[in-house]
Amino acid sequence: MTRFVIVPQWQGSPSARAMQLVDGAEAIAGDLPRASCTRVPVPLEAGDALGTGVQRYSALRQVRESLEDALGSDPERALTVGGDCSVAVAAVGESAARAGRVVLVWADAHADLHTPDTSPSGAFGGMALRAILGDGAEGLTLPRETILPTDVILVGARSLDAEESAYIAARGIRVLSADDLREPSQLVDAVTGLGADAVHLHVDVDALDPADMPGVKAAEPFGVELTGLIRALKAVRQAVPLAGSSLAGFAPASAASAAADMGTLLRLVGALA
C-alpha cells in the first residue's frame, strides 16, 4: 500500500511562476483517493533567509518539520507530492530511515546540487539533492552519508552549472541521459549494480521532454520520453524494493492546461506508487 503526502510548497522555487506549483500539487491531489492523502500545511508567506543564504528559509524550515512529522506518523510507504523539489529531502530521509542503504534515482532536468555558497538564485529547490547529500543550511539537510553520492543516479539531467558538473565528476555520481532511458535495463542495471537494500524514486516532471509535459516552470528541450521513463521506473520497482518516492515540479499555466496534463501525471503516479 502507498499513501500520498501532499505538500503544495512553492518557497523553494526560483521561478516567477512559483505559486503555480501550489496549483500543480492541488491538481494532482484532486485525482488521488482522498482517504489515502495526508496534507502538509504550507504557509502563505514567503519567509526570510535569516542569514542562511537560502531564500525563504524560515518557511522552508517550517514545512520541513511538518513534513517529517507527517511521513513518520504512518508505517505505510509514501509518495510525497510537491510543490517544488525540496520536498524530496525529507522524503528521502524517511526512506533511508525505514529501509537502510538506499539508492536514489533523481529524475530531473537539473542536478539541484548547489549550496548556499554556489547558488546563483538562493532558491532551495536548486540545492535539494546537495542537501540530501549533507551539504547546505542547517535544518534543511540530511545527516551526511544518509545517502552516498555514489548511490545517486541522475536521470535526464541536461541543464547543469559548472559547479554541479564538477561535483558530479568528483563524487562519482552516475548520469543517465534521455537516450539511455530508451532501454529500461540501463536504469535497472545501474540500480541493482549498487547492491543497496532499496530504492527511492524522485521525479521532477521537467525531466520529461516538453512535448510530453509542458506544465513546468522552465522547460528544457531534449528530455526523457514519458513512455521510456515509465517503463524504466516500473522495471526498477520489479528489481529492487521501493522505500518511497516523490513527485514535484508541476506548474500548470491554467486549470485547463492542468487537466490536459493529468493523464501524464497519473501515469507517473502509477509508476511511483
Side-chain angles (χ1 to χ4, degrees), residues 66-90:
S66 298
L67 176 53
E68 286 179 333
D69 288 343
L71 290 168
S73 66
D74 192 314
E76 289 187 358
R77 183 179 63 213
L79 166 55
T80 300
V81 178
D84 66 72
C85 266
S86 55
V87 303
V89 181

Side-chain angles (χ1 to χ4, degrees), residues 30-152:
D31 271 3
L32 299 177
R34 183 175 300 180
S36 298
C37 291
T38 299
R39 290 180 175 271
V40 173
V42 175
L44 293 176
E45 64 270 16
D48 299 312
L50 302 180
T52 62
V54 178
Q55 297 297 316
R56 305 163 182 156
Y57 171 87
S58 60
L60 292 163
R61 182 68 185 270
Q62 178 180 336
V63 176
R64 168 69 177 272
E65 292 172 356
S66 298
L67 176 53
E68 286 179 333
D69 288 343
L71 290 168
S73 66
D74 192 314
E76 289 187 358
R77 183 179 63 213
L79 166 55
T80 300
V81 178
D84 66 72
C85 266
S86 55
V87 303
V89 181
V92 173
E94 181 66 18
S95 290
R98 290 172 183 258
R101 184 181 163 210
V102 170
V103 172
L104 173 56
V105 174
W106 190 269
D108 196 321
H110 311 90
D112 296 343
L113 282 169
H114 277 291
T115 68
D117 293 330
T118 66
S119 172
S121 67
F124 186 58
M127 309 178 201
L129 181 52
R130 191 68 175 266
I132 288 170
L133 298 175
D135 297 323
E138 182 178 355
L140 295 180
T141 64
L142 297 183
R144 195 176 296 278
E145 298 188 355
T146 300
I147 300 289
L148 300 174
T150 49
D151 284 341
V152 174

Side-chain angles (χ1 to χ4, degrees), residues 98-242:
R98 290 172 183 258
R101 184 181 163 210
V102 170
V103 172
L104 173 56
V105 174
W106 190 269
D108 196 321
H110 311 90
D112 296 343
L113 282 169
H114 277 291
T115 68
D117 293 330
T118 66
S119 172
S121 67
F124 186 58
M127 309 178 201
L129 181 52
R130 191 68 175 266
I132 288 170
L133 298 175
D135 297 323
E138 182 178 355
L140 295 180
T141 64
L142 297 183
R144 195 176 296 278
E145 298 188 355
T146 300
I147 300 289
L148 300 174
T150 49
D151 284 341
V152 174
I153 302 169
L154 282 174
V155 173
R158 55 199 186 276
S159 178
L160 308 179
D161 293 331
E163 295 89 350
E164 294 176 305
S165 295
Y167 183 86
I168 288 167
R171 296 304 180 96
I173 295 175
R174 182 160 183 183
V175 181
L176 295 182
S177 69
D179 286 342
D180 292 330
L181 263 289
R182 295 179 189 277
E183 177 48 63
S185 63
Q186 293 264 31
L187 183 58
V188 173
D189 291 347
V191 172
T192 57
L194 292 171
D197 300 311
V199 64
H200 182 101
L201 301 174
H202 170 75
V203 175
D204 182 327
V205 296
D206 69 11
L208 294 169
D209 192 83
D212 286 324
M213 174 49 65
V216 299
K217 304 181 301 299
E220 297 288 345
F222 310 115
V224 178
E225 293 181 357
L226 175 64
T227 300
L229 180 60
I230 296 292
R231 290 172 59 209
L233 294 175
K234 288 183 175 180
V236 167
R237 290 190 54 187
Q238 291 177 348
V240 181
L242 179 66

